[in-house]
């Protein structure tokens, strides 16, 4: 099992920045990819950004390209999401997720952290 704990959410004005962290513990050696998702009330959970645990490949949703950056610190087993130029539409609960090699779905999820962007 892998445990994920997010932190770093909060309230920020439009145009501001936040950095989310996701600390992984447990069977971290099995992790292949980690990702960030977000969910607004009453809506489906959407993919935001992902990174191979090796750190060599990253990918982003079109809505955040150029504004968000995903990275990882392998020594700390932590993945980050740097969010710049935040917009009110970025307001959501942000979740960290992980999946093992060969598994198509993200099986491990954190509890989420709220990000609120005021206009």
């Amino acid at each position: 099992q892998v445990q994920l704990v997010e932190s770093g959410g909060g309230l920020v004005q439009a145009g501001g920045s936040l950095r989310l962290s996701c600390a992984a513990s447990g069977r971290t050696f099995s992790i292949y990819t980690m990702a960030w998702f977000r969910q607004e009330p009453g809506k489906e959970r959407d993919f935001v950004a992902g990174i191979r645990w090796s750190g060599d490949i990253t990918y982003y949703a079109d809505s955040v390209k150029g504004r968000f950056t995903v990275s990882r610190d392998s020594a700390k087993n932590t993945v980050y999401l740097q969010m710049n130029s935040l917009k009110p539409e970025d307001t959501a609960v942000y979740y960290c997720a992980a999946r093992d090699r060969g598994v198509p779905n993200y099986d491990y999820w954190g509890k989420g952290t709220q990000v609120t962007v005021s206009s």
Side-chain angles (χ1 to χ4, degrees), residues 11-110:
L11 173 64
V12 63
Q13 288 188 333
S17 298
L18 281 175
R19 189 178 79 157
L20 305 183
S21 300
C22 174
S25 60
R27 299 178 70 253
T28 57
F29 60 86
S30 71
I31 297 175
Y32 183 61
T33 304
M34 292 190 68
W36 289 94
F37 291 76
R38 65 187 182 187
Q39 187 171 24
E40 299 174 62
K43 295 187 178 181
E44 294 186 353
R45 194 171 297 186
D46 294 327
F47 170 81
V48 175
I51 184 168
R52 290 273 183 87
W53 193 239
S54 60
D56 56 342
I57 297 177
T58 59
Y59 37 103
Y60 299 91
D62 288 343
S63 58
V64 306
K65 280 182 182 177
R67 299 189 299 123
F68 291 10
T69 302
V70 62
S71 62
R72 100 283 181 250
D73 184 331
S74 58
K76 296 182 178 180
N77 287 336
T78 299
V79 171
Y80 304 97
L81 185 67
Q82 178 67 42
M83 305 185 294
N84 299 328
S85 302
L86 282 162
K87 305 175 182 179
E89 51 263 43
D90 294 319
T91 295
V93 177
Y94 283 70
Y95 296 90
C96 177
R99 68 180 181 92
D100 294 336
R101 181 181 294 273
V103 176
N105 299 320
Y106 286 89
D107 288 334
Y108 308 110
W109 293 86

